[in-house]
Amino acid sequence: MKAAYFEETGPPEVIQYGDLPTPEPGEGQVLVKVGAAALNPIDTYIRNGANYWELPKPFVTGSDLAGTIEAVGHGTKKFMVGQRVWGTNQGLVGRQGTFAEYAVVDEHWLYATPDNVTDEAAAACALTGVTAHIGLGADNARLKPGETIFVHGGSGGVGSMVVQMAKAIGATVLTTAGSDEKAELCKELGADHIFNYKTQNVAEELLAICPGGVNVIWETVREPDFDFLVSIAAERCRMVLMAGRDARPPFPVGPFYVKECSLHGFVMFKATPEEMAVCGEDISRWLAEGKLKPRIGKEFPLSEAAAAHQLQEDNTLRQAGTLAGKIVVKP
């Protein structure tokens, strides 16, 4: 099979495109013919040498996929050959990734793709959708209908999922964007109030709309400005973080605890199969109902996986501003 893989970590140029043996499903696994895969920042961190866990060699990059089951291993119970599925959590914890014509996946990491949803859409919602769902759920933000949520960066991969899921839950959504184009995208996603952080005083204008502050804050910035966040927080505001592992921003302890705020951090790939299955069922239903519409910023053929990694890295680490939405790679 054709695959995008690397033998040693490093810059995007270490990614090779070539032939690898087609894997065979083992106990409780299925072989998926990949229709589409999606790229996430964590894929670029792993490729660049982030020492989270030991990688097999050669290592196929990619966390997300959607496709059709080609074969099943012994003991599988959930899916059959010919069914369409989507999933995430591959290419993590030492598992092989999804940037290939075929991928072997433990069936408990897969979810049924609705008939009216494309592989591209399902893949583009995978890791980002599960992340948003876990962060908004009972163990973290506990977002309820009628509450207000501020999403810092509503046009990004996870941010766009949070905006749409918050609307599906019944919340009022306030968000930021860095351009008129991205602001329009946030409007299309359902955001109620959008602020251009380059031209507007976000704190001042947000508090004019929500004088008491917002109930939930979802922070996508790697180095959060906690003075700003606390200033727009309501009493007992729940803050969800997506900061980089090396982030060490100053923290206003006094103002934070006086408002009785809480801070929530989580790692998607540490969720159990049972926890992720709840996310998968909701995401599939919302996709089928049209309540969740992924924004695909760029599509690449599998042979150009290195260029896809470069584009993602330019925008994640260098704030190039040349990507709005997810990168999808197609075998």
Side-chain angles (χ1 to χ4, degrees):
M1 68 173 183
K2 295 295 185 184
Y5 61 93
F6 53 86
E7 302 277 359
E8 301 293 338
T9 58
E13 292 76 23
V14 301
I15 296 176
Q16 304 176 50
Y17 173 71
D19 291 305
L20 291 179
T22 302
E24 296 185 4
E27 181 81 19
Q29 296 181 322
V30 300
L31 178 68
V32 179
K33 183 176 183 180
V34 179
L39 183 60
N40 296 283
I42 192 170
D43 303 325
T44 67
Y45 305 156
I46 292 169
R47 186 222 69 235
N48 205 34
N51 189 24
Y52 302 152
W53 42 75
E54 188 175 348
L55 302 179
K57 294 183 181 181
F59 179 69
V60 178
T61 187
S63 305
D64 299 338
L65 83 164
T68 305
I69 294 179
E70 185 89 355
V72 299
H74 181 71
T76 54
K77 302 175 181 178
K78 188 176 177 182
F79 297 110
M80 298 183 296
V81 172
Q83 283 187 273
R84 295 179 60 231
V85 293
W86 67 272
T88 185
N89 224 11
Q90 305 310 299
L92 304 171
V93 200
R95 289 187 283 269
Q96 286 285 11
T98 60
F99 278 32
E101 291 181 306
Y102 295 92
V104 161
V105 183
D106 292 337
E107 68 169 354
H108 59 231
W109 299 124
L110 293 172
Y111 321 103
T113 304
D115 292 339
N116 63 338
V117 176
T118 66
D119 285 343
E120 291 85 351
C125 280
L127 185 147
T128 54
V130 169
T131 299
H133 194 290
I134 293 173
L136 291 173
D139 291 333
N140 293 292
R142 308 186 304 280
L143 183 67
K144 304 177 186 66
E147 289 192 315
T148 52
I149 179 172
F150 172 72
V151 185
H152 205 176
S155 67
V158 174
S160 63
M161 291 288 106
V162 176
V163 168
Q164 294 177 84
M165 288 186 189
K167 289 302 295 180
I169 290 169
T172 297
V173 180
L174 306 93
T175 190
T176 59
S179 68
D180 291 341
E181 178 187 5
K182 291 182 179 180
E184 184 60 32
L185 169 60
C186 292
K187 183 178 180 181
E188 293 173 6
L189 295 174
D192 298 286
H193 304 282
I194 304 139
F195 311 101
N196 187 323
Y197 63 83
K198 292 183 178 179
T199 60
Q200 295 175 270
N201 184 319
V202 177
E204 184 178 295
E205 298 198 28
L206 182 148
L207 290 172
I209 297 167
C210 300
V214 294
N215 304 118
V216 173
I217 293 173
W218 188 293
E219 177 60 275
T220 66
V221 176
R222 290 170 59 82
E223 291 279 347
D225 178 350
F226 281 105
D227 284 304
F228 161 69
L229 297 181
V230 173
S231 76
I232 64 170
E235 294 284 327
R236 299 192 176 182
C237 175
R238 292 90 71 192
M239 300 183 185
V240 180
L241 298 184
M242 289 179 55
R245 288 175 177 242
D246 297 327
R248 297 291 189 276
F251 190 82
V253 174
F256 179 84
Y257 86 78
V258 166
K259 283 190 172 181
E260 297 186 301
C261 296
S262 59
L263 202 57
H264 302 266
F266 66 98
V267 180
M268 180 279 297
F269 58 77
K270 291 184 178 179
T272 66
E274 293 75 20
E275 289 169 333
M276 289 184 64
V278 174
C279 305
E281 290 172 8
D282 282 346
I283 290 168
S284 288
R285 185 180 74 255
W286 286 334
L287 281 168
E289 294 172 349
K291 293 180 179 178
L292 203 57
K293 298 178 181 178
R295 167 71 171 180
I296 297 175
K298 181 76 173 178
E299 290 189 9
F300 288 88
L302 183 60
S303 59
E304 296 180 16
H309 269 242
Q310 185 68 65
L311 178 62
Q312 181 69 69
E313 199 167 82
D314 286 345
N315 283 268
T316 305
L317 300 181
R318 303 177 187 92
Q319 286 75 52
T322 55
L323 179 67
K326 292 291 295 181
I327 296 173
V328 169
V329 173
K330 299 180 69 175

